[in-house]
Amino acid sequence: MNSQMLFIAPKDTRKLEGNSFTWNLGAGPIHAETTSFALHFFPPTAKYTWFLSASTGFVSTDTWFYFQIGVDYVSDEVMDATYTLEGGFSFVHVHSLPDRPGWVVMVYADRAELTIRLDPKGGTAKGHFIAHFETDGYDMHPTGTFELIRDDMKN
C-alpha cells in the first residue's frame, strides 16, 4: 500500500501571479487555472516532498482535471535534474467523474520523465515532463511545461 497527499483547491483559488503550468494531450495546450508549489512533511514517513500541482475545473462542479508531481526533498541547494519514476519522483492524475457527482479517480503514471530546475531558497521551479497513463484502460500521454513560484513566496 502507498499513500499520496493531494492539494484540492477551494473553488475560489486561483494560480499565483507569474505561475504557469501547461500540458498537452494531443489537441493543443491546456493552461492550468490553479497551481500549487510547496514543500510538505508527511509525519508517518518523516519525509519531506516537493509537490507541484495544477488543475482545471473544480471537484464541486464535477469538472476537475488535475496533475501532481512529487519530488523527493534532497537539500536547500539548487537542483538541476532529470528523473524517472524509479528515481525520486511521482506523477499522479486525478479527474472528476461527471456521471457520479462528488467522485474522483486517481491514477499513477505507468512511466514518466521529469526535467526540473528547483531552487528551494529562491522559491522557483521550472521544467518539463512527459508521462504515460496506460493502466486500467487509460491511454493518456501528457507532455507539459511549468514555471512556478513557491506558494509561500510573495509576488
Side-chain angles (χ1 to χ4, degrees):
M1 180 170 141
N2 60 22
S3 61
Q4 183 76 39
M5 292 175 32
L6 296 176
F7 172 70
I8 300 176
K11 193 170 184 176
D12 60 349
T13 302
R14 290 289 176 229
K15 65 183 177 182
L16 215 64
E17 186 176 324
N19 278 359
S20 69
F21 196 120
T22 303
W23 62 88
N24 193 322
L25 299 173
I30 299 166
H31 303 281
E33 296 167 356
T34 62
T35 59
S36 180
F37 168 37
L39 182 64
H40 293 281
F41 178 72
F42 190 58
T45 62
K47 181 178 163 184
Y48 284 92
T49 304
W50 291 106
F51 285 111
L52 300 84
S53 63
S55 64
T56 58
F58 298 97
V59 173
S60 62
T61 60
D62 300 319
T63 58
W64 198 39
F65 194 93
Y66 174 89
F67 287 118
Q68 178 173 281
I69 297 168
V71 179
D72 291 347
Y73 172 82
V74 177
S75 75
D76 284 339
E77 299 302 314
V78 173
M79 221 170 38
D80 274 305
T82 298
Y83 294 97
T84 63
L85 294 178
E86 294 78 27
F89 101 104
S90 62
F91 201 107
V92 174
H93 166 61
V94 183
H95 63 88
S96 295
L97 293 173
D99 60 338
R100 302 208 49 201
W103 286 82
V104 297
V105 172
M106 181 172 84
V107 290
Y108 290 89
D110 294 290
R111 297 184 322 276
E113 184 173 289
L114 169 71
T115 299
I116 188 169
R117 182 177 202 286
L118 194 151
D119 181 352
K121 292 178 186 171
T124 59
K126 182 176 183 175
H128 61 273
F129 62 85
I130 183 167
H132 302 277
F133 295 87
E134 298 162 336
T135 300
D136 295 332
Y138 282 85
D139 185 18
M140 186 172 64
H141 310 278
T143 60
T145 61
F146 56 87
E147 190 164 350
L148 301 171
I149 301 164
R150 207 171 66 212
D151 294 355
D152 62 348
M153 303 294 272
K154 301 289 181 196
N155 282 341

